[in-house]
Amino acid sequence: MAEILVLYYSRGGSVARLARQIARGVGEVPGMSARLRTVPPVAAVTQTARPPVPEDGAPYVSVEDLAECSGLLLGSPTRFGNMAAPVKHFLDGLGAEWVNGTLAGKPAGVFTSTASLHGGQESTLLSMQVPLLHHGCLIVGIPFTEPALSHTTTGGTPYGASHVAGADDNPVPSEDEATLARALGRRVADIARRLA
């Protein structure tokens, strides 16, 4: 069975919940499964060591996960219209994978969560796509043939799946957000299957 890497960073749980919806969508494509992974947090003090495995949730990502996947879905909370530092830090360390073409030709999509409706979802999604383009990924979005994209009143964009957590930091995606997250997972998995 081919695997799609669903890689994310989540602090409040919103991005992790989107990742699980995306993984469900991947699993709806025959012959495809999702591999959930997370990136470790970064610290201002470089001597701070990360624990060898997270206390809960998905394991930390390894470069082998990138090599073994047939496609990638990358998620991050929004930080002032950009991806969170742990995701950027991870991507910045992939020079060898860039040189070797580890991700070249693989379909990839992105997802995010914000605290407010106009909190920078689209710019965050676009900022995550730029390094993936440098790696040679085939960027996959959500087309307007997905009905939920036209009537969502919360998250969901053609650039990728998204969630509005709100001021109370509610990590649970709306019905439209979950539908669109699953649709993105299905699209990346389906394209990866066709490319194989």
Side-chain angles (χ1 to χ4, degrees), residues 41-48:
V42 293
V45 180
T46 57
Q47 290 80 12
T48 302

Side-chain angles (χ1 to χ4, degrees), residues 3 35 63-70 102 106:
E3 289 187 313
R35 182 185 296 192
V63 293
E64 289 80 18
D65 292 317
L66 296 172
E68 294 168 0
C69 73
S70 297
T102 301
K106 295 181 182 183

Side-chain angles (χ1 to χ4, degrees), residues 17-18 21-22 24-26 28 142-143 145-152 154-157 160-162 173-187:
R17 285 185 187 233
L18 272 181
Q21 290 295 328
I22 286 169
R24 281 182 56 193
V26 168
E28 293 171 5
I142 303 172
T145 54
E146 290 294 334
L149 196 57
S150 294
H151 60 73
T152 182
T154 55
T157 80
S162 62
S174 71
E175 185 176 331
D176 286 336
E177 291 169 342
T179 296
L180 292 166
R182 288 192 303 276
L184 181 61
R186 278 193 308 274
R187 280 181 55 77

Side-chain angles (χ1 to χ4, degrees), residues 14 25 30 36 38 40 58 60 64 76 84 112 127 130 132 136 138 158 164-165 193:
S14 297
L36 282 168
T38 190
Y60 289 135
E64 289 80 18
S76 172
T112 191
S127 77
V130 171
L132 298 179
L138 309 173
V164 179
R193 184 181 64 168

Side-chain angles (χ1 to χ4, degrees), residues 110 124-134 139-141 158-160:
V110 292
T124 299
L125 295 169
L126 291 169
S127 77
M128 288 192 291
Q129 290 176 4
V130 171
L132 298 179
L133 286 165
H134 277 263
I139 301 300
V140 176
Y159 308 108

Side-chain angles (χ1 to χ4, degrees), residues 1-27:
M1 199 174 260
E3 289 187 313
I4 302 298
L5 177 60
V6 181
L7 175 61
Y8 66 92
Y9 175 72
S10 185
R11 284 209 36 203
S14 297
V15 176
R17 285 185 187 233
L18 272 181
R20 288 192 290 277
Q21 290 295 328
I22 286 169
R24 281 182 56 193
V26 168

